Structures are given as structure tokens and as C-alpha cells.
Amino acid sequence: MRVVFATAELSPVATVGGLAAAAAGLSAELRRLGVNVDLVMPDYGGISLIDETVTTLDVPAWVGAALVRSGRHPEVGPLHLISVPGMARSHPYLDADGRGWVDNDERFFRFSRAIAAFVEADPPDILHLNDWHTGAALAALESPPPTVVSIHNLAYQGVAGPEWLDVIGPNAEHYEWWGDTNPLSGALALADRIVAVSPHYVTEITTPEGGFGLDAALRARGDALVGILNGIDTDVWNPADNPLLVQNFDAKTLTQRPANRTALLERLGLPDDDVPLATIVTRLTHQKGVDLITPLIPLLADIPMRLGILGSGDAALAAELHRLVAAHPEHLAFVEGYDEALSQQMFAGGDLFLMPSRFEPCGLTQMQAMRYGAIPVVTAVGGLVDTVPDVDAAERSDRPTAGRGFVARSGEPTDLLAAMFRAGRRVTDRRRRAALQKRIMTVDWSWREPAKRYRDLYVELQR
């Protein structure tokens, strides 16, 4: 079975968000299952391939010259890089000021049309598209192969002006969206199957509150819409052999984990005592909800809890966090930016890991944190619902060992505070904390089962 798998991001070649990790993890596991995966992504420039060949793609004049460089990438294996005018940039989507490139619509409509040409030149058994960046490929394909579209984040749809409806292809009518052109809405209408990246996210995106204007269109697809939870690369996210940690450990050697906590507290400039340490590793965006935590910072001494935050993004939120550090230096530390080594240390050294997301299609960091023994405190949204059953609720049910963390019913400060209180009490009981850590560290968070479900979906579509 040959699958053309098209994505705008692929770790570690071009990484912005969770799409990159998901595309890399899923495609690699599919290959291990024997699926012939043709990975296709934009050529952003500066990407070297081994045994490279270059092919011209047959595209309309409005696309401009379209080339595909094919070869082997040293880390991801066989890879096809599509070059169209304007695609090569220092960042896939954003300029130096953090704003979207003004011609992102042109860049990704051209890329999508080139994907269609790639498919037409050598039709695969399955076409797998990811997010809006690739969605307009179906506008140009009059006889497409069976197609899967994965929704990694419905909030981003790439809506552009109506002029694109005149050029993107014979199926353009499906892309008309309130007088504009929506590359995702058309793909959702034309795909044979739509996959949301967690089962609970399926429920959310079919409601007006979580559907970002596409809820009715998604409800109309009925059983064509399914949820498959993402995985993580458990070879990469492995505390037993991670060279960035002060001390390696696993679920059987948890007594070695505290060395990472001590080193992290020293790095953050926080006191090293028995007060529970929570960490956050995130982007400072509205979605991630760090601003929902800031009103609770003055209450950390009362919980009690210390908090270390690593992140970058919204400048006003970063400034507020710096102000709060100055006011509460014994309980809050904030490192602005991104530091790979520090992020790994925060997973390995924190007692708790906070994710106060307003919405979270799947979430990867809660799985990464659990793999490292950090107990998650999350909001009840998206994939967080699927991966973090509440400990206290589970213990009151007929499945007392099913709990994995602490869930706030909403993002309201009172609910978050209640979840943090409950989590703080649990981790101060060393025996119960260790039992919970062993439980969450031994869950199979790998891509093995998700990839099997995708493979089964591909097989079903060929019948």
C-alpha cells in the first residue's frame, strides 16, 4: 500500500507545533508497519537530502515553477520537498515580527496545487492530507484517490479572499465560505474520511462552541468523522537514557528521579524543600491558558506549591509573569524563550505538570510529562480528557486504578485552584505519589496503536 502523506511541518525538518511531531511519529510508525509512505512537505530552503533527484511538476501557470526534490533525509528517511514561488522562508508561517507572512495564502494554495500534480503524476492508493495548508489539493483533483484529512487544530483554517475560487480547480465550489475561500472547509467536504486527533475533540468540534464555524459541516459528515488519539515518540521521550537529564531513571528506579528535581530547583532559583513543584512548558498563547493561572500566583504559598514556567509568545503575558516573579520570588520562576534541555529537565524534575488549556485538540506535553513521572493537572478539554482521567473520580468509581492526574472542570480560576489543591495533597504523600508516577510512566503512549488504526482506515478505504 502506497500513501502520499502531505504536511506543512515535519519534525525535525520544520517544526512549529504539534503537527510536526504528529506527522513524523505517525509516518515513521506506518513505515514500520509496512506501509509505503511518500512524505511530502514544502521546501522551505536549507534542507539537505541524500541521493537527491529533481522533478518538474505539471501545474497551471498561476502556480509558477513547481519542483519536487526527492531523496533521503538523514533523520526522517525518504522525503519529497515541493518548491513553489515564495515558499522558501526562514519560518514556515511567520515573519521576524511574529506576524503571518502576507502571502501565506498564495504560498499554500500553490503548494496544495503542486501536491495535486504530484498525485496525478503517480497516483497512490491513499492520499493523506493534514490541516488547511494541504486542503486545497482536493480542489484540483477530478478523480482523487481515497483521501483522509487529519484535523490537528480546527482554529486555523487559512481563510483567504474569494479570488482563489476562480483558480484552485474544478471542485472550487466546495471551498466557498461566506464569500471567501476556506481551504479546510472544502477538504472536509470532499475527503472520504476525516480524523480528529483525539476522540473527545470529535465531540467538541461538532458543537458551535468548539467548531470554529465548521461544526455544522462536520456534523453533516456523520460517520466519516472519527477520532484517533495521537502518540509520542517513546524512543525520544525516554527518561532512562535521555542525556539532557542530571540523572536517568524509569518506573522501576524512581528513587533516582529526585536528583533532577534538586537540579531544576537550583536552575530556577527556587528553594529546595518539600513543597510540591509544578512546571509549565508551553507557548504563551490564548489557547494554552497561562493567563488563567496568573490570578492564582499570589495563592501559591497557601496551597502550598512552587511553579516554574518556560515559554514564549505573547509579550504582555510575558511581562505580567516577570512582574509576578518579582512579587513572589519564593514561589514562581519564569524563563522566557525556549530551551530544549531545560524543557526536558522540567518534565523530569517537576512533581506536577500544569496544562490550563482553553482547548487542546490532542496535546502532547501531558503525555511527555507523564512519561517522565510528572503528574498532570489539566482542564477538561480535547485530548486531555482522553489521556488524563481524574484520580479522585476514578477512585470513587469501579476503576480505582484508572486515574492519571487531576482535572479542572473548567478553566475558571476556582476550578483550577481546586485541582491544584487536590494535586498538591496527593504528591505530599510519598507512597501514593510513587504509585501514581509508576502508573503514568508505564502507559503505552507510543504511535503503535494509533498507526494501526490509520492503517486499518486506509485498508477500509480501498475496499
Side-chain angles (χ1 to χ4, degrees):
M1 181 195 319
R2 176 171 165 262
V3 176
V4 167
F5 188 99
T7 176
E9 298 178 36
L10 182 69
S11 182
V13 184
T15 300
V16 176
L19 170 59
L26 175 56
S27 59
E29 189 61 34
L30 286 170
R31 284 172 171 169
R32 282 191 281 269
L33 291 173
V35 179
N36 179 11
V37 179
D38 273 350
L39 271 172
V40 178
M41 66 171 289
D43 190 346
Y44 295 116
I47 305 169
S48 299
L49 298 177
I50 302 166
D51 298 327
E52 177 182 313
T53 61
V54 180
T55 307
T56 301
L57 295 173
D58 184 11
V59 294
W62 66 266
V63 177
L67 303 174
V68 56
R69 291 197 292 131
S70 301
R72 183 174 184 83
H73 187 274
E75 293 180 76
V76 303
L79 181 62
H80 304 277
L81 299 170
I82 287 181
S83 171
V84 293
M87 185 54 72
R89 298 285 167 86
S90 57
H91 187 284
Y93 318 128
L94 305 177
D95 64 20
D97 295 324
R99 295 173 296 197
W101 299 109
V102 295
D103 59 346
N104 272 343
D105 55 347
E106 297 178 36
R107 298 170 70 231
F108 287 102
F109 277 123
R110 288 170 176 158
F111 173 57
S112 291
R113 184 60 185 85
I115 293 170
F118 183 87
V119 168
E120 288 169 328
D122 187 9
D125 298 301
I126 299 289
L127 172 61
H128 190 150
L129 303 174
N130 291 271
D131 275 354
W132 72 267
H133 321 91
T134 62
L138 290 179
L141 292 168
E142 296 191 68
S143 299
T147 302
V148 175
V149 171
S150 286
I151 304 173
H152 298 265
N153 194 333
L154 192 65
Y156 301 102
Q157 299 176 16
V159 177
E163 65 275 7
W164 290 105
L165 297 172
D166 295 328
V167 298
I168 57 176
N171 301 317
E173 62 186 272
H174 296 283
Y175 292 79
E176 191 278 330
W177 185 250
W178 299 100
D180 285 320
T181 308
N182 187 327
L184 186 57
S185 69
L188 300 182
L190 294 169
D192 295 287
R193 290 291 186 277
I194 303 164
V195 180
V197 292
S198 71
H200 191 73
Y201 194 47
V202 171
T203 302
E204 291 180 346
I205 61 178
T206 51
T207 67
E209 295 77 18
F212 293 94
L214 291 174
D215 54 290
L218 287 164
R219 289 195 301 272
R221 293 307 313 272
D223 293 341
L225 172 62
V226 298
I228 300 178
L229 186 71
N230 280 344
I232 61 174
D233 188 332
T234 51
D235 291 331
V236 172
W237 295 96
N238 185 2
D241 62 8
N242 188 332
L244 297 177
L245 303 187
V246 171
Q247 176 66 57
N248 293 118
F249 63 96
D250 59 22
K252 296 179 180 179
T253 57
L254 269 174
T255 55
Q256 297 176 331
R257 188 177 189 272
N260 295 288
R261 185 182 191 275
T262 298
L264 177 60
L265 287 165
E266 182 178 356
R267 168 69 174 80
L268 296 176
L270 294 173
D272 187 359
D273 52 23
D274 291 331
V275 173
L277 172 63
T279 62
I280 297 176
V281 179
T282 191
R283 301 189 310 276
L284 302 181
T285 64
H286 179 77
Q287 174 190 344
K288 298 301 181 179
V290 175
D291 60 297
L292 301 175
I293 293 289
T294 53
L296 305 180
I297 300 300
L299 303 177
L300 288 175
D302 299 318
I303 295 177
M305 186 176 291
R306 305 193 195 283
L307 176 60
I309 301 176
L310 171 64
S312 62
D314 183 88
L317 179 54
E320 174 65 5
L321 289 171
H322 285 300
R323 185 191 71 78
L324 287 166
V325 168
H328 307 279
E330 294 288 301
H331 289 86
L332 176 66
F334 171 50
V335 178
E336 187 173 2
Y338 183 72
D339 182 318
E340 177 65 24
L342 179 57
S343 71
Q344 303 273 345
Q345 292 161 12
M346 292 180 85
F347 288 131
D351 301 307
L352 302 167
F353 187 79
L354 305 190
M355 285 186 72
S357 304
R358 287 184 167 89
F359 64 95
E360 197 66 63
C362 175
L364 300 177
T365 50
Q366 82 277 14
M367 290 186 267
Q368 294 160 355
M370 285 188 276
R371 177 88 165 131
Y372 281 63
I375 299 165
V377 181
V378 304
T379 43
V381 295
L384 304 183
V385 172
D386 297 306
T387 54
V388 189
D390 188 85
V391 167
D392 291 331
E395 291 178 350
R396 293 191 298 267
S397 73
D398 58 356
R399 300 181 63 209
T401 61
R404 296 174 186 159
F406 297 86
V407 182
R409 292 175 296 177
S410 75
E412 293 297 321
T414 52
D415 286 336
L416 284 166
L417 183 62
M420 291 164 67
F421 265 116
R422 292 192 292 121
R425 286 198 302 269
R426 178 60 59 109
V427 299
T428 55
D429 184 325
R430 295 188 179 185
R431 181 185 60 82
R432 299 178 78 197
R433 178 184 66 199
L436 181 53
Q437 287 176 314
K438 289 178 182 178
R439 185 189 308 162
I440 62 179
M441 290 179 71
T442 52
V443 175
D444 182 6
W445 299 114
S446 76
W447 274 102
R448 281 187 288 272
E449 288 305 314
K452 288 177 183 176
R453 291 196 61 190
Y454 274 102
R455 182 191 59 184
D456 292 345
L457 186 60
Y458 298 157
V459 171
E460 176 190 336
L461 290 175
Q462 292 182 84
R463 291 174 182 161

